[in-house]
Amino acid sequence: MDQFVQLILAGLATGAIYALAAIGFTLVWQTSQTINFAQGEFVMLPAILVLAAVKFLHAPLPVAVLMAVGGFLLLFGFGFKQYIVNPMARHGILPLAIATMALSILMKESAKDGFSAEAQQFPSLVPEGAIQLFGATLSLRDIAIFVVAVVAIVGLQLFVTRTKTGRMMQATAQNPTVARILGISTEKMILLTFLINAGLAILASFLISPVYLAKFSNGEVIGTAAFIAAIVGGFNQVRGALAGGFIVGLVDNLAAAYVSSAYRAAVPLVLLVLVILFKPEGLLGSKEERTV
Amino acid sequence: MNAHVNLPASGPVLKVDGLKKHFGGIKAVDGVSFEVFEGEILGIIGPNGCGKSTLFNCILGQLQPTEGAVTLDGEAITGLFPAELNRRGVSRTFQLLQVFPNLTVRENLILAGQEHQGSMLSRLLGPKDAGLTAEAEKMIGFFNLGHLADSKAGGLSYGQQKLLDAAMAFMAGPRLVLLDEPAGGVNLTMLASLKERLEAINKEQGATFVVIEHNMDFVMSLCSRVVVMAEGKVLAIGTPAEIRANPAVIEAYLGH
């Protein structure tokens, strides 16, 4: 029983990180029909940038964090939209998707060659430790990851549903033509979703890297998990991505313990296949219709 | 309020002068001129493909006219972008529904009305309704959408979405509203209530309407004057009674 509780908490913690990545994924899809196959690398890179700033520029850690955050928002929030999505979107969804695959390879290989091929320690914001609850040993780090991610997601959800800008973002996603007629600057709204996506990736990166170490290949696992989470939950709903993230995180952890750790990565894929077969719009998604 | 329709005291609200829109060799709109006066409800009718919707799109800046001029209160608005026209008090409804499906009825209305006000900062930090909740409630009451205010717009029936679409067009307190087939696909009960609501809001807000419509009874009973189009040109302009009696119109509609 206590092992089960521990597994659930660990699952929720990883799930929260998947959810952060999956939510960014669905946001950019909704406003700009961009399927970002580099989403995993987006989560991998910010931590590497921090370590690189410390190593090469000898920056103190807080400065390095600020530099990494600023640089990443500029390059992979603004720059990604301006210099990859905008020029490629003219050619259609598929060329754009392939361009993001190329970007993911570029980011991964650059991190490997430019920084290190080895997994690196990443400083944790939360001290090591554990608390006892219901006879289970719960890691403080897992709890902190879960809390921070949930606060960020709730905050984002409140922003999207409760503010004027948030509603303008939704309008841009649901009906760009009319949104433009109403005088909403849809370009700015789309840019905002890309910045939010980059921000969520940074947060996910800083939360997960202390646990799994910062490594150039981290994006593979996270990217796949986020992609599965988004599809399982429903691609066109933020709450779908949220639920999908937690489901994949839980399934992942429970499968590792109770099924086989060798097949842990396969179990979410089975879930993915089942969802696509029986509820292709996702568990919480709505059917999507597009007019041309 | 609109008793002076036939004897306008001031200049026209909207003036369309020699408007042409050619697509290659096809003359979709071919020299259309008419004026719309303060508080008037002007109907535009004509067979399918006569250029009504193209005319609307040219007036509203969604298409650039090949030739001709459009003025609003004496100011040239030819070729201005839709958002700019919206800022100047020109709003529209759509032939095909264009609501925001995953927002509630109330949110759709607030969104339709909010864009005029507010800086970037107030948008970021301001209250969610931008003070428009009251206005939205008024429209909800006015168009009898009260029981649906918190429903997602995408889940409404077609007729209800048409009402919402119309309500959205009035949120910003427009000077001129262009309605593209407001009655299309709306059942008879809803139609009566739509017509009655449009008449009431025309009186109350003093807005000027231009209505494209296929439903003859609807147009003839709603509009003070009617423009008949055929093959991109104006065939006749007159009161509903004059139009009904016009032989050229009868021929265009009923054939030989």
Side-chain angles (χ1 to χ4, degrees), chain A residues 159 161-165 167-168 170-172 174-175 177-184 188-189 237 239 286, chain B residues 62 82-83 86 94 98-103 107 110-112 114-115 117-118 122-124 127-130:
Chain A
F159 172 73
T161 54
R162 299 285 168 85
T163 65
K164 284 205 262 178
T165 307
R167 195 157 37 225
M168 286 156 79
Q170 288 194 67
T172 302
Q174 292 170 30
N175 199 331
T177 317
V178 176
R180 230 170 277 130
I181 291 175
L182 289 176
I184 293 170
K188 269 190 210 154
M189 291 302 123
Q237 302 278 342
R239 63 172 189 276
S286 49
Chain B
Q62 269 149 335
N86 201 266
F94 292 88
Q98 297 280 11
V99 297
F100 299 108
N102 287 328
L103 294 177
E107 288 174 328
I110 291 171
L111 198 64
Q114 80 177 10
E115 65 94 23
Q117 297 113 320
S122 80
R123 275 208 298 278
L124 276 171
K128 72 174 203 164
D129 58 19

Side-chain angles (χ1 to χ4, degrees), chain A residues 28-141:
Chain A
V28 296
W29 161 257
Q30 286 175 47
T31 54
S32 69
Q33 280 72 60
T34 306
I35 303 175
N36 181 18
F37 283 107
Q39 190 75 354
E41 278 66 37
F42 273 45
V43 177
M44 171 276 293
L45 197 64
I48 302 275
L49 288 179
V50 171
L51 296 178
V54 171
K55 183 175 163 191
F56 298 124
L57 305 174
H58 309 292
L61 187 64
V63 178
V65 168
L66 282 179
M67 287 167 75
V69 169
F72 190 81
L73 285 175
L74 190 66
L75 280 174
F76 294 94
F78 175 77
F80 176 55
K81 172 179 182 292
Q82 207 67 14
Y83 301 111
I84 295 181
V85 173
N86 284 359
M88 290 310 289
R90 283 196 279 278
H91 304 287
I93 290 179
L94 196 58
L96 174 55
I98 291 169
T100 67
M101 289 178 200
L103 178 67
S104 89
I105 297 169
L106 180 70
M107 289 170 79
K108 192 162 60 180
E109 297 305 317
S110 305
K112 186 168 79 179
D113 295 341
F115 183 65
S116 170
E118 302 299 320
Q120 306 285 323
Q121 291 278 353
F122 190 81
S124 173
L125 304 169
V126 186
E128 288 277 1
I131 53 166
Q132 299 290 325
L133 201 69
F134 308 123
T137 312
L138 305 180
S139 131
L140 275 180
R141 211 180 249 174

Side-chain angles (χ1 to χ4, degrees), chain A:
Chain A
M1 186 59 205
D2 49 346
Q3 190 209 4
F4 183 73
V5 174
Q6 269 161 251
L7 283 170
I8 293 285
L9 182 72
L12 288 176
T14 14
I17 288 165
Y18 294 160
L20 287 175
I23 287 169
F25 203 82
T26 58
L27 278 180
V28 296
W29 161 257
Q30 286 175 47
T31 54
S32 69
Q33 280 72 60
T34 306
I35 303 175
N36 181 18
F37 283 107
Q39 190 75 354
E41 278 66 37
F42 273 45
V43 177
M44 171 276 293
L45 197 64
I48 302 275
L49 288 179
V50 171
L51 296 178
V54 171
K55 183 175 163 191
F56 298 124
L57 305 174
H58 309 292
L61 187 64
V63 178
V65 168
L66 282 179
M67 287 167 75
V69 169
F72 190 81
L73 285 175
L74 190 66
L75 280 174
F76 294 94
F78 175 77
F80 176 55
K81 172 179 182 292
Q82 207 67 14
Y83 301 111
I84 295 181
V85 173
N86 284 359
M88 290 310 289
R90 283 196 279 278
H91 304 287
I93 290 179
L94 196 58
L96 174 55
I98 291 169
T100 67
M101 289 178 200
L103 178 67
S104 89
I105 297 169
L106 180 70
M107 289 170 79
K108 192 162 60 180
E109 297 305 317
S110 305
K112 186 168 79 179
D113 295 341
F115 183 65
S116 170
E118 302 299 320
Q120 306 285 323
Q121 291 278 353
F122 190 81
S124 173
L125 304 169
V126 186
E128 288 277 1
I131 53 166
Q132 299 290 325
L133 201 69
F134 308 123
T137 312
L138 305 180
S139 131
L140 275 180
R141 211 180 249 174
D142 281 353
I143 295 172
I145 289 175
F146 180 73
V147 170
V148 171
V150 167
V151 166
I153 292 165
V154 169
L156 176 67
Q157 189 66 8
L158 287 176
F159 172 73
V160 169
T161 54
R162 299 285 168 85
T163 65
K164 284 205 262 178
T165 307
R167 195 157 37 225
M168 286 156 79
M169 275 172 62
Q170 288 194 67
T172 302
Q174 292 170 30
N175 199 331
T177 317
V178 176
R180 230 170 277 130
I181 291 175
L182 289 176
I184 293 170
S185 170
T186 51
E187 270 302 297
K188 269 190 210 154
M189 291 302 123
I190 294 172
L191 177 60
L192 186 59
T193 58
F194 276 84
L195 290 173
I196 291 174
N197 177 45
L200 292 174
I202 292 170
L203 188 60
S205 186
F206 291 172
L207 288 176
I208 202 167
S209 299
V211 185
Y212 292 104
L213 304 178
K215 195 179 178 197
F216 73 96
S217 58
N218 277 358
E220 292 164 11
V221 178
I222 299 166
T224 314
F227 190 60
I228 296 174
I231 291 176
V232 166
F235 225 94
N236 47 18
Q237 302 278 342
V238 166
R239 63 172 189 276
L242 174 64
F246 283 126
I247 291 170
V248 172
L250 285 172
V251 165
D252 192 39
N253 271 271
L254 293 175
Y258 295 119
V259 183
S260 146
S261 61
Y263 284 99
R264 71 180 292 175
V267 179
L269 286 169
V270 172
L271 183 67
L272 173 70
V273 171
L274 291 176
V275 167
I276 287 177
L277 278 178
F278 297 108
K279 204 163 184 310
E281 70 271 21
L283 297 177
L284 296 178
S286 49
K287 289 210 169 73
E288 200 152 321
E289 289 164 34
R290 277 187 197 284
T291 48
V292 280

Side-chain angles (χ1 to χ4, degrees), chain B residues 9 34 38 54 104 170 213 229 237:
Chain B
F34 61 86
E38 181 92 47
T54 307
T104 66
F170 292 102
E213 190 46 68
M229 285 181 68
I237 301 182

